[in-house]
Amino acid sequence: MLGFEYVRATTVDEAVAAVTHDPEAAYLAGGTTQLDLVLKDGVFSPQRLVDITRLPLRGVSRIGGMLQVSALTTMEDLAADPTVAEELPLVREALLAGASTQLRNMATIGGNVLQRTRCRFFRDPGVAACNKRTPGSGCAAVTGPARMHAILGASERCIALHASDLCVALVALDAVVEIRGAAGQRTVPLREFYLPAGERPDRENVLEHGELVTGIRIPLLPSGARSGYLKVRDRASYEFALTSAAAALVIEDGVIVTARLALGGVGTVPWRAPEAEEILVGAPADETTFRAAAEAAILDPFTVPGTAFKVELAKRTVVRILQTVSRSER
Ligand code: FAD
Ligand code: SF4
């Protein structure tokens, strides 16, 4: 049986100190990822789990043109927020496309941003070759069955997917991560928060050991923007994305004035597509433009036999979400 100490933190400072000063400690939020990895799969064996669910970090508030989401807000509560429902359809649709109602009532926004990859080899300690779990050991997925893996940002060192739906919408919106550490508070744009898999697939984000995500700031869309999220998956619910896309457009007289586009199910990180956005802005909102944007969104894919189908599927996902959003009312 696995033994570890369970600690319930009551203040943010206490939680940060407890993990910062103990290299064997880790945070526990809703537990939907962490308990699988520690208790069920035995991927990690922290000596101490610091429960942060009693910290005063729940709730959503609108501050000017921004939504401030505290880290322990659940996925279900964020989806039910009136501003999200009215003004950020892409966020609401991404949230409700994720997991199941039961999971969304436990899973927190901070935990969603920090969820670990679903790569089956990473989650099976019996598999020796995994550069993310054991740096330098190789990558079993590159030669193994790899249907749910990444094609963008991937390499022979690691093709693990960042499987969050929410983060695809957040990266399209230029969300910012609020972080508290022993040295104080800092903010990092979500686009810079995740590290490219590169040489060190085990280093996934900019957090130092002990730093706590306290919230996410989501800039609201300009008035007149239309947005949405499309998730393509093997079954209609309770399944991770094969491909997905979040888009927000402002269209005036049939011409795209502003465009935001991000992809899921394909990247080692939630994948913003600036090259595609450049093609969209100033172009007519029609099929030819959307296909050109889709071609630009999937630049230099790295595929293995199991993931090759994603190249065309992702492009079609982009075309479909752009069509849907351009015809929607908000
Ligand atoms: P935990 O499991 O408690 O923690 C997750 C990780 O984040 C841990 O490493 C923990 O130490 C760290 N952590 C948590 N909070 C903080 C914080 N505030 N600061 C610093 N570190 C922190 N997600 C999707 O997007 N789409 C899906 O379709 C989907 N399907 C799922 C299906 C299943 C069966 C399961 C189990 C999960 C699924 N998920 C999906 C993932 C789910 O959204 C995440 O497991 C959940 O959001 C994690 O939140 P949590 O509060 O439970 O985090
Ligand atoms: Fe490990 Fe990444 Fe390879 Fe999966 S894809 S086995 S996480 S190195």
Side-chain angles (χ1 to χ4, degrees), residues 200-287:
R200 292 288 307 270
D202 57 311
R203 289 221 57 213
E204 295 182 349
N205 57 56
V206 300
L207 288 185
E208 301 293 341
H209 179 74
E211 282 191 311
L212 181 75
V213 170
T214 54
I216 306 288
R217 293 180 199 161
I218 311 176
L220 298 176
L221 288 167
S223 71
R226 315 161 192 205
S227 73
Y229 182 76
L230 174 65
K231 179 172 181 177
V232 179
R233 46 189 156 172
D234 279 331
R235 57 184 179 193
S237 73
Y238 198 31
E239 183 56 281
F240 289 94
L242 291 170
T243 59
S244 72
L249 301 174
V250 176
I251 301 173
E252 290 175 4
D253 299 326
V255 174
I256 300 166
V257 179
T258 62
R260 292 167 176 273
L261 181 69
L263 280 74
V266 290
T268 54
V269 301
W271 201 264
R272 185 78 179 258
E275 298 83 1
E277 292 172 355
E278 268 180 42
I279 287 172
L280 291 168
V281 173
D286 63 20
E287 185 101 17

Side-chain angles (χ1 to χ4, degrees), residues 117 119 121-122 129-132 138-141 149 157-160:
T117 182
C119 174
F121 305 105
F122 171 78
C130 175
N131 286 326
K132 195 179 274 298
C139 173
H149 286 72
R157 284 184 292 278
C158 182
I159 55 172

Side-chain angles (χ1 to χ4, degrees), residues 64-274:
M66 186 194 74
L67 212 56
Q68 209 283 331
V69 183
S70 296
L72 293 172
T73 307
T74 65
M75 291 171 69
E76 201 64 22
D77 282 347
L78 182 58
D81 179 79
T83 303
V84 170
E86 290 292 317
E87 299 183 37
L88 296 171
L90 75 173
V91 172
R92 181 175 161 82
E93 289 166 18
L95 282 163
L96 296 181
S100 63
T101 312
Q102 290 94 328
L103 281 161
R104 292 195 301 266
N105 274 308
M106 286 300 293
T108 64
I109 300 306
N112 190 290
V113 170
L114 287 158
Q115 64 177 275
R116 308 302 300 272
T117 182
R118 311 301 299 188
C119 174
R120 61 195 283 186
F121 305 105
F122 171 78
R123 287 177 176 251
D124 180 355
V127 174
C130 175
N131 286 326
K132 195 179 274 298
R133 214 177 347 95
T134 312
S137 60
C139 173
V142 168
T143 50
R147 180 172 164 75
M148 305 299 290
H149 286 72
I151 58 171
L152 298 175
S155 74
E156 66 287 342
R157 284 184 292 278
C158 182
I159 55 172
L161 180 73
H162 194 286
S164 168
D165 293 295
L166 171 65
C167 292
V168 180
L170 293 183
V171 87
L173 289 166
D174 287 323
V176 172
V177 185
E178 299 173 334
I179 300 165
R180 178 83 70 87
Q185 189 86 21
R186 66 181 178 126
T187 56
V188 178
L190 189 61
R191 278 176 88 171
E192 296 164 23
F193 180 79
Y194 298 111
L195 300 174
E199 298 289 327
R200 292 288 307 270
D202 57 311
R203 289 221 57 213
E204 295 182 349
N205 57 56
V206 300
L207 288 185
E208 301 293 341
H209 179 74
E211 282 191 311
L212 181 75
V213 170
T214 54
I216 306 288
R217 293 180 199 161
I218 311 176
L220 298 176
L221 288 167
S223 71
R226 315 161 192 205
S227 73
Y229 182 76
L230 174 65
K231 179 172 181 177
V232 179
R233 46 189 156 172
D234 279 331
R235 57 184 179 193
S237 73
Y238 198 31
E239 183 56 281
F240 289 94
L242 291 170
T243 59
S244 72
L249 301 174
V250 176
I251 301 173
E252 290 175 4
D253 299 326
V255 174
I256 300 166
V257 179
T258 62
R260 292 167 176 273
L261 181 69
L263 280 74
V266 290
T268 54
V269 301
W271 201 264
R272 185 78 179 258

